[in-house]
Every structure is written in structure tokens, then in C-alpha cells.
Amino acid sequence: MTAGVRQQPREATRPRTPRRTRLPALLALLVGVAGVGYRLALLLADVPPGNSDEATMGLAALHIARGEDFPVWFYGQAYMGTLEAYLAAPLVALSGPSVLVLRLPTLALYALFLALSWQLTRRLGGDRWYALLVVAVLALGSDRVIKNQLIAGGGYPELNPAGVALALLTVRLCAGGSRGLPRRASAGGPAARLPRPADADRPAAAGGSAAPLSPWAAWGLVSGVLLWVDPLILPFVLALGAVLVGWRRRELVGRAGAVLAGGLLLGAAPMLLDSLRHGRNPLAAVLTASGADAAASWGERLYGGLVLGPPLALGFCSPGRCAGWQLWWAPTFLALLLLAAITAWHTLRRAVPPASPASPAPPGRSADLGEFPFAANDKSPRSGDGPAEVPGGRVSAAVRLALLAAAAAVLAAYALSTAAGRAPMESARYLSILAVAMPALLWPLWSAARRAGLWPRPAEPPHHPGEPAESHRSGHHLGELAGSDRPGDRHLGDPESISRTAGGRKRIRAAGVAAVAVLAGMLGTGVVATAGAVGTVPATHAEAERHRMLVDALGDLNLRHVRAGYWTCNRLAFASGEEVRCAVVDDELRPGFDRLPGYRRAVDADPGAGWVAPPGSPLAARLDRRLGPGPDGLRVVDVPGWRIYLPRR
């Protein structure tokens, strides 16, 4: 009965769908692990160096762990929430006070930042290779970047992961939690997993499926916590909130808006309750602490804010300084900020033609979530062509534009502040949140390189029997539209299959080469700055060892109360688990700023209180004059790196 029947190969009846390449995802995982491992190695080597501000947060964690106090604000001020102290308190309760224990939560926050940045890059339309590039840039760690990410001094380590999480929630809510189409469309060929237009570009109340309320609650909660922790995040909250209003304003006047407001109030509850109880105004406290009344020329502000600020904050400078050749990133950053904003705005403003959820994209043109603002023939695309055809593309463009606008607002506010002029090297930490916008900022470079053909295009997949040859080119889900790594899908920045003029090809090629040069320069400069940070490890570790010897020496001398400079006092108190109480003095032995006033009362009540100062410091020079016999005479005990002054009894 089977005579004359020829067995067909399995592939002829069940063609294998090409699998997406997992190489970039694997490489990104390795790069991320390397970035986290590098920072863990630094922490084990006592890098970055500790300071009294971080120790103040540690004292808050110690008090929380003991149940003695539950501070809302950083001790001694009415702004900057103590979230880091609450995160570290369980670890401090288990293992006792130490800088390493205090920084383990900040290391976890950095790892979360990398993971969320990968996801945000993909959701904004980047393919896996572009997401790998973003992760690689963020994995580098110069001196200033490491300090911002790992020192638990209040505010900075949690801003970046929370800011990226807020952007991801905005994408999800504005895309409406889109439902995918069937795997194979009735029109023929594999269906595109595109967001339904009703879900992506109009409120669910107008006919789309309503998004669950949990993302709305999460958006409000994250925003509220961030506003309590550090008001530097405010531009990002406002910009991303504007996107929500533009896309989901109908839901915002209903249950979803009420849930979001509830989450916002819950997250900001510590700040709001403290303000009601004590009549404090956190915004006024921030403005006062910013040094608005200090003197700094406009030239100093603009140089510190626009020239030194971006290279320092984003990791392109050596420890403690910016060499002249490392400042090339300053004008490049400003140009990229402008170009990326123009690109996102160009995509956002293009009209969206009516579309049926079941209608696939035109053959040969899968959608792009944000392309370079010039077509391959050097002419602007017609309205309705390309990325704007896909509702998710406009969502992506809106979120990218919001991130860029917020970054520009942060940079402008910093450049106008006196902090940028008076202490640009240290105050550049205020710009650490610019890293949240990295997926949007680098997009013009990647787009130009891809359009110039400087990155290999995937091979064409075998099409299914009976399937139109071009049917596999339909769009994909929001997270995969242009970022899909399936062979045959058009990636962000891929050249369009249209004719080009000779001049257009040359300009596209030149733009691509320039973009690759800038990307290579970024990575190269970041690697040099990272190597410079590694070079500081021996000296920093030696200083930490000397500080541990100081704490041990105070214990051996049974000295429980001392006076010292601001950057010594709370560090001693935390390292000793408050076995040593310290009152702050200035170089003239006058009382200084005590973040915990109780320490001064304890020190003043002890006639045997000593003094601690680094050798060669102005404070040590003043105390050396009191060495010798007499009613106010002192004797000295030398410890490597320190001098301990004891009253004669």
C-alpha cells in the first residue's frame, strides 16, 4: 500500500522556525556579572573610601536595628530620606556595624540597575546588541561613578534603579499591557505580536482592555519613595508623569488615578507626616543646603556644570580630576542630548493612520520604534511611514523624549547652581541620575552605525511552504518590534530597501563611521577611567587599615569620648558601634556641626575626653601646642596615620 509513496523529510512538512540568537544576551549577562564582581572586589578592598556622611547613615541603620530610633531624614537635616539605612538595618542587626555590610544593599541596587536598563533598552525598541552596548557602558566604573553607586551616603545609589523602573512602568502603562495577536494571522503568515491600537494609543476606557491596577500603584509608590529619598528625581517624575497624562488621562481621572495617588502618598508618607508634625518644608531645606546664597561666577558655574559635570558624572574622568583629553565627552554629550531629543520628537509627532488589530504591517517593512530622523535617501520620511505606523513606536518615542528632557532639566539646574562653580569635582554626584537616560542618549549613535551597514544584518530565514515570501517581515511585540533578533526582522537603524543617491550613501557612511568612533571613544575613555579607579585601591585599603587600628587603639586605651574633626567623628562612632562617642570641633578647637547632639553632651560631661587628629593637619598642629605639663597639658599616643591626645591626670 505504500508503494510509490516517497517519504518526505521532516523539515519539508514542519519547517523549523529560526531561533533568536542568544549571544548578545549571554554577553550582556557576562558583562553585568563582571560589573557587579568588579564592584564587589572593590568593596572587599575598602574602596571607595569611607567618610562621616556614610557613617551617619550607618548610625541610623544601627539605631533602627536596635529599635532605638526610626529616623525619617538624614541626621542633622530635614531632607534626604534614610531608605539606605532601612535596607541595611537587617544586615547590621545580624553581623554588626561595618562599611561592607552598609554597602551590600547599594551593590544589590546597582545589579538591579543593570538588569532594568537592559529591559528598558529592549522595551524602547533596541535590539539585544544595542542593549548589550548600554549594559557595557554602565558596567564601567570610574572613581566618581563608583562613589555614587556604592557609598551609602544618602540618595544616590537608589536613584538610578528606581528611575529606570519608573520608565519601564510608564512604557507598560502607556502600551496598555498589549495583548498579542494569534501566532498565525488569518491574513496569512506568522502574525505580528503588535500592541492593539486601542491598547497602545488610546485609553482603555475608550475601548481598549484596561490595564491592571498594580502597575499604577507601583508607579505612584516608586515616585513617592523617590521624592522622599532625594528630590533630584523630580524632573524624571514630572516628565514621565506627563507621558502618562498624554496617553492615559482618562484612566487617571478614574480608579487608576486614585490608585496611583494612593501609592504616591504611601511612598511619600514619611516625608509628609514629618512635615505635618514638625512644620518642616523639605524643598526649602534643599534650596538652603544647595548654597544658593554662596558666591560663584556664571563662568565658574557653566564650566563646572557643562564642561566638567557630564564627563565626571558618567564615568569618563580620572580619580579626583578631569584631564583635558577626557573633556571631549562634554560637547559630545550635549550634541547627543539634542540629536536624540530631535529624533524622538520627530517620531512622536508623525500621525498614526487608522489600523486594524488584525492587519499586518506592509510587506517588507516591519516597524521601527524610533529611527534616525532621515531616511536612507536623505529625505525625511513621509507622515505615516516607518515607526509612527506602530502605536508602540510613539510610546517609545514619548518615553525617550521624557528621559532626555528630564536629563536636560537636571543638567541645567546643576549648571545654574553655585555648587557647580564652587566644588565641581565633588558636587558632580548630583548628575549621577543622568545614567537613567543612557538607553535614549546613545540611540542616535547606534542608529547611524546600523543604517550605514557597519553592523552585520541577520540572514534571511527560510519561509514556510505556502507562505508569502515577505509575510515573515510583519512587526513584532512592543519589546521586539525593531529590537527583535529574529533573522529577517528589520532592526532599529537598518537601512531601508529603497534606492539611495550616491551622495546619500556617502553621508550615511560618514555618519556611521563617526558614530562608531564616538562609541569606541566612549568605551575607551571609560576603560581608562576605570583603570585609574583600580589604581587607587592600595592607598585606599591602607587608609582603611589605619582607621581600624585607630579604633582598636581607642579601645585599648579605654577612651570612650573624644573630640575630632567632622570627617572623623561619626566614622569613629559607627566603626566602634558607638563604643566611642565623638563631638565635632573645628581647627580652632571650637564646637562644630554635630549631626547627633547627644554625642556632644556625653563628651562634655567626661573630663577625661581625648582628641583625635591626623598628623600634619591644622587641628593636630593646634593640639601639639598643648603638649607638656600643666593643667591643660596633653600627652600624645601615635597610631599609624593618627594622633590621639589624652589629658594629663
Side-chain angles (χ1 to χ4, degrees), residues 159 250 302-303 305 513 597:
L159 285 184
R250 295 190 183 181
L302 295 178
Y303 180 79
V513 171

Side-chain angles (χ1 to χ4, degrees), residues 72 224-225 228 263-275:
V72 172
V225 170
W228 163 51
L264 182 66
L265 292 175
L266 179 61
M271 174 179 67
L272 298 176
L273 292 176
D274 181 81
S275 298

Side-chain angles (χ1 to χ4, degrees), residues 42-114:
L42 292 180
L43 292 186
L44 295 175
D46 301 305
V47 178
N51 59 60
S52 270
D53 279 348
E54 182 179 34
T56 300
M57 189 66 75
L59 289 170
L62 185 63
H63 297 162
I64 294 168
R66 292 173 176 171
E68 298 174 353
D69 190 17
F70 299 94
V72 172
W73 303 115
F74 196 78
Y75 284 132
Q77 59 193 45
Y79 64 96
M80 192 177 294
T82 50
L83 177 62
E84 293 166 16
Y86 285 92
L87 293 177
L91 298 177
V92 172
L94 288 174
S95 61
S98 72
V99 175
L100 176 61
V101 166
L102 190 59
R103 291 175 176 177
L104 287 179
T106 65
L107 179 65
L109 287 172
Y110 167 74
L112 180 63
F113 172 51
L114 282 187

Side-chain angles (χ1 to χ4, degrees), residues 182-193:
R183 192 63 185 168
R184 299 187 62 86
S186 58
R193 291 168 58 200

Side-chain angles (χ1 to χ4, degrees), residues 15 33 57 81 122 150 159 212 216 237 301 345 353 365 439 448 634:
V33 170
M57 189 66 75
R122 298 283 290 133
L150 298 183
L159 285 184
W216 296 95
V237 173
R301 298 183 191 190
W345 174 252
R365 286 185 57 89
L634 301 174

